[in-house]
Amino acid sequence: MNIPDDLSSELNAGFKNLSRAALEALAAEAYQKDVLSLEQIRRLLELESRWEAQEVLARHGVWPGQSADEILQDAANSSNFRAAR
């Protein structure tokens, strides 16, 4: 697949490191679909720690161990619990 030249220029202007941004997006998608583990994401992105891998995933809206919807539901449940007391 090739990116048209005019769009390639726009993308390169919009991202500090386009290939890194694409790789991180792919990694986040792979993690979300259970294709790669957190450790594999760490290795793929050549990160020093799992915390860095989690940070990358979080920037892409992927939450290790829980989906964003699950976290929001937990927060709502916590608020409802506190209000009921």
Side-chain angles (χ1 to χ4, degrees), residues 3 11-12 15-30 41 44-45 56 60:
I3 299 172
L11 287 169
N12 279 312
F15 290 90
K16 185 176 180 180
N17 184 337
L18 182 58
S19 61
R20 178 64 182 202
L23 184 59
E24 287 183 6
L26 176 63
E29 183 77 13
I41 296 299
L44 174 68
L45 299 176
V56 169
H60 288 273

Side-chain angles (χ1 to χ4, degrees), residues 20 39 54:
R20 178 64 182 202
E39 173 59 19
Q54 286 179 322

Side-chain angles (χ1 to χ4, degrees), residues 54-72:
Q54 286 179 322
E55 184 178 308
V56 169
L57 293 175
R59 282 198 307 265
H60 288 273
V62 177
W63 307 100
Q66 285 187 305
S67 70
D69 289 337
E70 290 170 326
I71 291 170
L72 292 173

